[in-house]
Amino acid sequence: MLAAVEAGGTKFVCAVGDDDFKILDKISFSTTYPEETLQRIFDFFDTCGNLKAIGIGSFGPIDINKDSKTYGYITSTPKTNWRNFNFLGAMKRHYDIPIGWTTDVNAACLGEYEVGSASDNSSCLYLTVGTGIGGGAILNGKIVEGFGHTEMGHIIIRNHPEDDFEGVCPFHKNCLEGLAAGPSIEKRYGIKAQNLDADHKVWRMIAYYLAQALMNYTLILRPEKIILGGGVMNQARMIDLVREEFSLLLANYVETPDLDSYIVTPSLGDHAAIVGGLILAQRIL
Amino acid sequence: MLAAVEAGGTKFVCAVGDDDFKILDKISFSTTYPEETLQRIFDFFDTCGNLKAIGIGSFGPIDINKDSKTYGYITSTPKTNWRNFNFLGAMKRHYDIPIGWTTDVNAACLGEYEVGSASDNSSCLYLTVGTGIGGGAILNGKIVEGFGHTEMGHIIIRNHPEDDFEGVCPFHKNCLEGLAAGPSIEKRYGIKAQNLDADHKVWRMIAYYLAQALMNYTLILRPEKIILGGGVMNQARMIDLVREEFSLLLANYVETPDLDSYIVTPSLGDHAAIVGGLILAQRIL
């Protein structure tokens, strides 16, 4: 059996699945302290029978450099309990089997790439837009990473002409996440994003910001498909608005697939990362 | 013997080299009409003896999709004589040997990756900043490409607070190339960039624009090294200014190598692309 952990900042999901990545059993619980949370992972998997490998997709930033002394650690996260926590090490001490290790968004990207909306493509990019913005990409079947994992949510974009908001990112103020993630919407208007009308002008602004990001990803990576997940994308018409703004910005400069098949929502829905974890487990075998 | 063609918009370079990518003979001439230019390529190589393979790094945009009907073509270039020209096809009709095909900046990136300043790295990015801005990247030894080749010079960045210039890119106005390539400097001040004083305020602005681009490349690709070439980088202190602005923008958000070894100039100088062409020739064998 394959095992997967989706380690999110607010919620953990653990699952076991078969070789076709069908989920056989699953549990989810709130993220608390590392020791307590790890114990809940162990309690679940220890009842699941014989595990062949585990794939972990974790919130970050994390250390993915195998030559590093802190490989497998969650590093400089704002969640102080988890800062510099040797997550992979703690898992390895309990399970003497291969364990794959990547970010939650890379895991989601892998899920969509192998069995989701990009299963016919050789490259794709996954972006989640919620309380934060994070992305992962795959080119020729391999996760895009180098000196470290990607941090696509913090790229520089420009303010909308009608938006003088200074941004909420503690590092960069008005980077993509600072202007377009859920908390930026709440900070602007004093109410939660999901309580704003569907025809509120903010949605067009958010679409403009996401379209800028998608334009930059397109020019820098040339993925065959871009998959947009996360709470903000649940807003009615958001995907259409993003396609419209993207088309205006790109101005036909490079060829892309037809936008209806280029910019899509995840076909695995909320399961992309946990299924990706199962795939990561199989890849590590 | 290995052969290479660096096909630039204003100048072609042809060379032959040995298996260690040492250039044995080389010629360069102005880019004119396709037929005339091709004839000069043939005239040179036909005197060079037995060629094993050719690597071409071409100005673009070009079609690199092997499944496409126009694979090997220069496509929508503003140089009308070359638009929709089947460059690779013309070469293949004359030479019945393996021919590699990529962009000029990808070839330069390959040169620096294999035998230049990134020869100890497993990933790098090359950016040229001259009359235009173009870039190429390599991750895990492979050129980054997907639905097509990258077009990193046209990403969206934001204007410097003291620069209200509207930009010169015919597609996107104030994209990176529209704000930071040589012609943008000339358009702002009415004199050529190289005739402006080294302490002119424009250099700090250009550095700010390049630093934004490098920040976005860093977050989206995480290369181990970024190599900056092209005429604008010949400006004294430019590389130092870029490092300074980059450091301010990134705000230590992700780890990079020490900036003096992360952001560098090409150790192959003007030979990066032609040497990369020889490497491409060997790779295709």
Side-chain angles (χ1 to χ4, degrees), chain B residues 28-105:
Chain B
S28 74
F29 44 84
S30 294
T31 308
T32 61
Y33 295 94
E35 297 71 22
E36 187 182 2
T37 306
L38 265 283
Q39 192 55 52
R40 297 203 67 168
I41 297 174
F42 300 155
D43 289 348
F44 172 71
F45 283 139
D46 289 350
T47 67
C48 289
N50 194 26
L51 305 182
K52 288 191 292 188
I54 306 174
I56 304 174
S58 175
F59 70 99
I62 67 174
D63 189 340
I64 56 145
N65 177 357
K66 286 182 180 159
D67 298 327
S68 162
K69 280 180 189 165
T70 54
Y71 173 66
Y73 282 56
I74 294 176
T75 58
S76 54
T77 170
K79 297 181 75 70
T80 49
N81 295 329
W82 292 81
R83 197 174 293 167
N84 300 318
F85 175 62
N86 185 359
F87 191 171
L88 182 61
M91 291 292 289
K92 286 197 166 188
R93 275 193 299 278
H94 201 82
Y95 298 104
D96 187 20
I97 55 176
I99 304 182
W101 171 246
T102 193
T103 62
D104 46 3
V105 279

Side-chain angles (χ1 to χ4, degrees), chain A residues 15-270:
Chain A
V16 288
D18 63 19
D19 288 347
D20 295 324
F21 315 123
K22 186 167 167 264
I23 292 174
L24 303 174
D25 197 3
K26 188 162 81 85
I27 190 174
S28 75
F29 43 84
S30 294
T31 308
T32 60
Y33 295 93
E35 296 71 22
E36 187 182 3
T37 306
L38 264 286
Q39 191 57 50
R40 296 202 67 166
I41 298 175
F42 300 156
D43 289 346
F44 172 71
F45 284 140
D46 289 350
T47 66
C48 288
N50 194 25
L51 305 182
K52 289 192 291 188
I54 306 173
I56 304 173
S58 175
F59 70 99
I62 66 174
D63 189 340
I64 57 144
N65 177 356
K66 286 184 179 157
D67 298 328
S68 161
K69 280 181 191 165
T70 53
Y71 173 66
Y73 282 56
I74 294 176
T75 58
S76 55
T77 170
K79 296 180 74 71
T80 49
N81 296 329
W82 291 81
R83 197 174 291 165
N84 301 316
F85 175 62
N86 185 0
F87 190 172
L88 182 60
M91 292 291 291
K92 286 199 166 187
R93 273 193 299 279
H94 200 83
Y95 298 105
D96 187 21
I97 55 176
I99 304 182
W101 170 245
T102 194
T103 62
D104 45 4
V105 278
N106 279 340
C109 189
L110 192 55
E112 289 291 326
Y113 175 77
E114 288 284 356
V115 296
S117 52
S119 59
D120 290 334
N121 301 112
S122 61
S123 58
C124 70
L125 186 144
Y126 176 92
L127 193 75
T128 181
V129 189
T131 55
I133 299 183
I138 288 179
L139 291 181
N140 296 311
K142 293 188 81 164
I143 291 171
V144 170
E145 57 191 24
F147 192 78
H149 59 78
T150 60
E151 282 283 356
M152 302 189 189
H154 290 261
I155 65 167
I156 295 176
I157 55 167
R158 63 176 71 127
N159 273 62
H160 189 281
E162 294 173 24
D163 185 21
D164 58 2
F165 185 59
E166 76 271 19
V168 295
C169 173
F171 291 89
H172 315 112
K173 288 194 173 174
N174 57 345
C175 68
L176 173 64
E177 181 171 297
L179 287 174
S184 81
I185 303 173
E186 196 175 335
K187 183 81 184 286
R188 279 184 185 89
Y189 303 105
I191 47 174
K192 285 197 179 294
Q194 62 262 37
N195 296 330
L196 288 169
D197 283 351
D199 58 358
H200 194 286
K201 70 173 182 182
V202 74
W203 301 119
R204 173 68 72 178
M205 284 181 189
I206 300 297
Y208 174 74
Y209 295 135
L210 295 175
Q212 287 185 60
L214 267 49
M215 171 153 162
N216 286 357
Y217 304 148
T218 295
L219 296 173
I220 295 170
L221 288 168
R222 302 299 305 274
E224 293 171 27
K225 197 175 284 282
I226 294 180
I227 302 141
L228 298 177
V232 170
M233 294 310 299
N234 292 332
Q235 185 62 29
R237 289 179 59 235
M238 180 54 80
I239 191 105
D240 291 328
L241 292 176
V242 172
R243 288 180 187 132
E244 278 177 37
E245 294 291 331
F246 177 84
S247 179
L248 290 170
L249 287 170
L250 190 63
N252 284 318
Y253 181 67
V254 297
E255 204 187 343
T256 64
D258 178 74
L259 292 194
D260 287 343
S261 67
Y262 183 52
I263 302 172
V264 301
T265 50
S267 69
L268 300 179
D270 295 338

